[in-house]
Amino acid sequence: NFVAKRRNEKFHEVSDKNQKRASKSAYPYKKGRTGYARLQQRILAEEKSDATSLPEHVLWKAARVGKDGAVVEAVQNVYDECETLSQTLPSTEVQDCRSVLSRVLNVPEYSGRVRGKGFGVTPSSFYKKPKTKNPTNKEVMKTLVELRAQVLQLQNENARYREERCGSEAKDTS
């Protein structure tokens, strides 16, 4: 079954198309089968850092450094722009779903992925937003009672206002 699928003409068309697309990358990945997670672990181990993760633009740059340590000028330019942008943005804006890296690269961020963090990392798992706690039934009922009291008070004030207004105006019956 596996061999039959690989000999299929349609498979070869898709494979060739993807091979051409991957060969035209402006910023090619240079770490082979080492994924972002292992690369991050290696960097943190070398630095002996207490941090649990690296900024995505730092990891993105490290993934594009060759074996000889040479950095392509285009990759260095993107990294420098990421550094300046991350320093100028307020910390709340840095944590939104459109990362600093995707802003500098000026590419759309696809749903369900975080650029520069590898396969399987989702925005909801990476940008952990505090969960809002749903109110309990007692809290909802308490709020409902308070709102009913406010509505009743406003209705009474409205009725008093209408009585005063109608009482002060002389009606012309002729």
Side-chain angles (χ1 to χ4, degrees):
N1 196 14
F2 176 81
V3 173
K5 284 182 182 179
R6 294 304 186 269
R7 289 184 177 165
N8 187 346
E9 188 62 35
K10 197 170 193 175
F11 173 80
H12 285 289
E13 289 173 12
V14 172
S15 179
D16 291 341
K17 179 181 165 186
N18 287 334
Q19 216 172 14
K20 288 176 187 173
R21 182 184 48 80
S23 68
K24 295 179 183 175
S25 178
Y27 313 105
Y29 184 84
K30 303 242 180 161
K31 295 301 176 190
R33 294 182 63 180
T34 304
Y36 280 104
R38 284 195 185 112
L39 180 61
Q40 180 170 285
Q41 287 175 348
R42 186 182 306 150
I43 292 170
L44 291 174
E46 287 171 2
E47 293 178 357
K48 295 179 181 138
S49 174
D50 294 337
T52 56
S53 68
L54 296 169
E56 60 267 10
H57 63 279
V58 173
L59 197 57
W60 182 85
K61 177 190 173 195
R64 279 144 184 85
V65 173
K67 290 180 181 177
D68 59 351
V71 181
V72 179
E73 186 177 339
V75 171
Q76 186 62 44
N77 291 341
V78 170
Y79 176 77
D80 293 339
E81 286 182 45
C82 286
E83 283 292 313
T84 57
L85 185 61
S86 65
Q87 292 171 359
T88 58
L89 286 177
S91 62
T92 55
E93 202 172 328
V94 170
Q95 289 298 324
D96 75 354
C97 289
R98 188 150 189 254
S99 69
V100 173
L101 182 61
S102 61
R103 289 179 193 196
V104 170
L105 291 174
N106 198 21
V107 291
E109 194 66 77
Y110 300 102
S111 62
R113 76 174 270 197
V114 179
R115 187 172 301 279
K117 288 296 180 180
F119 179 74
V121 179
T122 61
S124 59
S125 67
F126 185 71
Y127 301 109
K128 293 181 180 164
K129 295 179 182 172
K131 291 184 180 179
T132 56
K133 180 185 157 204
N134 290 335
T136 62
N137 285 343
K138 288 181 181 180
E139 294 170 340
V140 171
M141 293 306 293
K142 181 181 174 186
T143 305
L144 181 63
V145 168
E146 291 171 357
L147 290 174
R148 283 185 179 165
Q150 286 179 356
V151 168
L152 187 60
Q153 180 186 2
L154 290 172
Q155 287 175 339
N156 291 339
E157 288 176 9
N158 190 17
R160 262 189 264 126
Y161 172 74
R162 287 183 181 206
E163 286 176 9
E164 290 175 6
R165 186 172 163 213
C166 290
S168 64
E169 295 178 3
K171 292 187 177 182
D172 186 16
T173 58
S174 59

